[in-house]
Each structure stands twice: as structure tokens, then as C-alpha cells.
Amino acid sequence: MFNILVADDTANIRRLFEYTLEKNGFKAYTAENGEKALEIIESTHIDLMVLDLMMPKMDGWETLKALRDSGNTLPVLIITAKDNTADIHKSFMLGTDDYMTKPVDEVEMILRIKALLRRSKIAEEQKIVVGKTELDYGAFSVNVNGEVAVLPRKEFQILFKLLSFPGKTFTRTALMEEFWEMGSDSEARTVDVHINRLRERFHDNEDFSITTVRGLGYKAEVRTQQE
């Protein structure tokens, strides 16, 4: 069971989020301001924090800054009534992982929380499990039904990136910038070559496929139902 901390100064919202989280299998903790939230984080294992911005004593931005300044990488989902672009940019610059504006759709909130927890687990363990396929970043290996293959580094990195964010489209340029050195003579079509090799390797994989998004780039589509 994951422990989720809700920091919001409105009691009704705390109760609503607590009920929604526990209905979906999470253990919920609540705090009415940032100071209390940081105290709970110090004394209790928390897997993710849902954070309001407008709170007394210590607001959400101050709380987020204190958390990140201490080196804590706890996933944070900001849920706030502040919806202007400057506030959103400031929140991401300070280190939030996601941002929603009130009123929120409760189903979407749970989906975003699950996605953040999944990415946090991937970052911590450096592994991805999709059905019967497991990727191990430390070994650049892919285990499918007990058969292990070690991939060339860039092929593995591209596959790991795509499967870390299933359904998200990555442009060729974005993949080039992340996995090839600046000033490299490689061109965007180099990405196409690596994608084609991955498709050849995993053409019969039952857990995922790599799809071309015309005019944009590539995305991974997961066939196995994921949490």
C-alpha cells in the first residue's frame, strides 16, 4: 500500500481527497499547511505528496522548495486554484512533478498519482516491467519470458525512455538531444535506424509495440494492462 500525503488548508478538500485515495487502495495522511506536511514526511514514509499552493504559515511553493533543497525527490502533484501560466512555470521550476487546477476530476487525479508512482519506482529501481518483459538499466538487458538479451546502449536507452512514458510521443530531435552528444554529426534519421532495429528485435513481443506518430516521432504502446 502506498502512503499519500495531502497538504491543503481546506478541511473539506482534505476529507474528499482522503476518501478518494483510500477508496482506491492508498493510505492517506493529511496536513493543513506546509510545516505540518514536512513534519509528517520527516517521521513517516510517504510515497507521494498532493500539495496545495495557497496555505498559511508555509505555502506550497515554500514547502516544495524546502523539500527539494533538502535533496528529497518525493513525487509531488500540485493541486491548486492558481491556473495562470506564471504560477505553473514557477511550480515546475521549483521541482513539482505534475500540476492540476481545482476543481479536479477525481478519476484523473488517481490516474496521475498512479503514473507518478510508477515513474518514481522506475527511477529508484532502474527497472521497468511490462507484462512478461523486464528492462534492467544497470545491465542494458531485456528479459522476455526468461530469455535475456543485452542491447546496444543507445537502443536500450531509447526503449527504456519510451516504455517509461507509454503513450507519450517523443520527437526525433528530443531523442537525439538526450542520447547523442552535442555537436554529434549524427542526424535525426539515426534515430529511425535505432527504432527499426528495436522493432526487428521485438516484432513478436506481446507486451508492447513502438508506433510512428506521423510528422512527430515515436511512442510506445503497452498492450498489457498497467497500474
Side-chain angles (χ1 to χ4, degrees):
M1 180 180 292
F2 289 105
N3 295 336
I4 311 296
L5 171 61
V6 176
D8 196 298
D9 64 330
T10 303
N12 286 342
I13 290 179
R14 292 198 303 273
R15 284 194 290 268
L16 172 62
F17 286 0
E18 181 178 16
Y19 170 77
T20 301
L21 289 165
E22 296 192 343
K23 183 176 68 174
N24 284 274
F26 298 106
K27 170 64 177 176
Y29 295 80
T30 62
E32 64 274 13
N33 58 58
E35 288 184 357
K36 180 64 175 176
L38 293 178
E39 289 176 6
I40 293 174
I41 290 170
E42 283 291 322
S43 60
T44 306
H45 173 74
I46 298 296
D47 295 291
L48 180 145
M49 175 164 59
V50 174
L51 180 64
D52 184 29
L53 289 180
M54 296 179 287
M55 297 185 294
K57 293 187 178 180
M58 178 181 279
D59 67 25
W61 285 320
E62 293 171 317
T63 306
L64 182 59
K65 186 177 187 305
L67 192 71
R68 297 305 187 226
D69 285 350
S70 71
N72 194 315
T73 59
L74 177 74
V76 175
L77 168 60
I78 286 179
I79 298 182
T80 178
K82 298 174 77 66
D83 61 356
N84 67 70
T85 302
D87 292 329
I88 295 172
H89 287 178
K90 179 178 179 180
S91 299
F92 278 105
M93 290 295 292
L94 287 173
T96 192
D97 296 279
D98 204 351
Y99 193 107
M100 299 180 72
T101 54
K102 298 175 181 176
V104 299
D105 178 87
E106 295 168 24
V107 174
E108 182 181 356
M109 179 184 76
I110 293 298
L111 289 173
R112 292 202 188 199
I113 286 172
K114 287 182 177 180
L116 289 174
L117 289 170
R118 178 176 178 273
R119 292 170 197 167
S120 175
K121 183 181 180 186
I122 289 171
E124 180 180 350
E125 298 182 355
Q126 292 286 281
K127 290 184 179 181
I128 298 175
V129 177
V130 181
K132 297 179 180 179
T133 301
E134 178 177 306
L135 281 68
D136 184 342
Y137 203 102
F140 291 156
S141 66
V142 180
N143 185 328
V144 183
N145 286 321
E147 295 185 11
V148 180
V150 177
L151 271 58
R153 180 176 178 178
K154 285 186 171 58
E155 284 184 34
F156 181 89
Q157 289 174 325
I158 291 172
L159 182 61
F160 196 92
K161 186 72 173 184
L162 294 177
L163 285 175
S164 294
F165 300 90
K168 178 177 179 178
T169 299
F170 290 90
T171 65
R172 293 172 177 83
T173 301
L175 294 171
M176 283 289 299
E177 290 178 349
E178 181 161 356
F179 300 122
W180 276 264
E181 295 180 4
M182 295 295 292
S184 169
D185 293 331
S186 300
E187 299 179 2
R189 63 174 175 268
T190 303
V191 175
D192 299 337
V193 172
H194 284 71
I195 291 290
N196 287 335
R197 289 174 181 166
L198 287 169
R199 283 174 168 161
E200 289 174 9
R201 289 180 186 275
F202 300 105
H203 70 276
D204 59 351
N205 188 285
E206 298 179 353
D207 299 316
F208 71 88
S209 61
I210 300 174
T211 301
T212 300
V213 181
R214 188 176 296 276
L216 292 175
Y218 300 101
K219 66 179 179 179
E221 293 188 346
V222 174
R223 300 189 181 110
T224 304
Q225 184 66 35
Q226 299 293 303
E227 280 291 308

